[in-house]
Amino acid sequence: MSSDWKTSHTSTTSEFTASSSSSGSIDFETNADSLKKAIESVRDDQSETDWILLGYDKNTDTLKVADEGEGDLDDLAEELSDGKVLYGLIGMKVDDKKKFVFIVWTGEGVPALRKGLVHAHSGQVAKFVGHYHLQLNARTESDLDQDKVLGRLKSAGGANYDATLSK
């Protein structure tokens, strides 16, 4: 299955408010402190955290920090589960600048009802996460190819002088 790409999204976690209700809203409030701290750690150049994964607490719509770590996209991909919906944020270096990728992971084994909520929820999580340069919707690890993502980030950044040099 091919990847879906979006570029350049801006928002801040301080602007975001959401209620938890049965109308499809995510509960960000229960774990707000740990969620915000995890997002800030990815954005902080002094932090050793390169990526985070956010997921649902058990069978609820309460978002929590599912994992965080150091390393590249391959390291993040190792932590993904076929039966889960996860939202990732990773900082990647492109031409000595840190760029952020927001990942919406919907594993192939996710129940249909949960898959149906991903579209609505992913927009809410994207707004909560804040600024990123590229969004990637992935269902398999092959959708998270390090070189392809770096290429997309480079293209999203404006003029791509490497493309003219290779002709």
Side-chain angles (χ1 to χ4, degrees), residues 85-104:
V85 173
L86 295 165
Y87 306 95
L89 181 67
I90 184 169
M92 300 175 76
K93 289 281 186 178
V94 177
D95 298 329
D96 295 325
K97 294 180 182 171
K98 195 172 188 180
K99 303 285 185 171
F100 298 99
V101 178
F102 174 63
I103 300 165
V104 178

Side-chain angles (χ1 to χ4, degrees), residues 2-113:
S2 66
S3 301
D4 246 349
W5 300 89
K6 293 184 182 179
T7 57
S8 292
H9 174 80
T10 304
S11 179
T12 62
T13 55
S14 61
E15 296 172 351
F16 188 80
T17 58
S19 62
S20 61
S21 70
S22 59
S23 65
S25 293
I26 297 179
D27 172 11
F28 295 95
E29 299 304 317
T30 300
N31 300 309
D33 291 341
S34 62
L35 291 168
K36 289 177 183 179
K37 184 177 176 184
I39 292 165
E40 289 168 7
S41 71
V42 172
R43 297 189 185 285
D44 182 357
D45 289 333
Q46 305 306 313
S47 171
E48 293 183 8
T49 302
D50 296 313
W51 56 264
I52 58 170
L53 289 172
L54 309 177
Y56 299 102
D57 191 13
K58 299 183 178 96
N59 292 322
T60 70
D61 287 340
T62 300
L63 202 66
K64 68 174 185 170
V65 178
D67 205 347
E68 54 190 303
E70 298 175 43
D72 60 14
L73 193 55
D74 293 332
D75 295 311
L76 178 148
E78 287 179 16
E79 304 305 321
L80 299 173
S81 171
D82 188 50
K84 291 187 176 183
V85 173
L86 295 165
Y87 306 95
L89 181 67
I90 184 169
M92 300 175 76
K93 289 281 186 178
V94 177
D95 298 329
D96 295 325
K97 294 180 182 171
K98 195 172 188 180
K99 303 285 185 171
F100 298 99
V101 178
F102 174 63
I103 300 165
V104 178
W105 170 262
T106 310
E108 293 290 332
V110 172
L113 183 59

Side-chain angles (χ1 to χ4, degrees), residues 138-152:
R139 292 184 185 265
T140 66
E141 287 187 36
S142 64
D143 292 333
L144 299 173
D145 181 89
Q146 178 89 9
D147 293 331
K148 287 181 184 176
V149 173
L150 284 171
R152 297 294 298 216

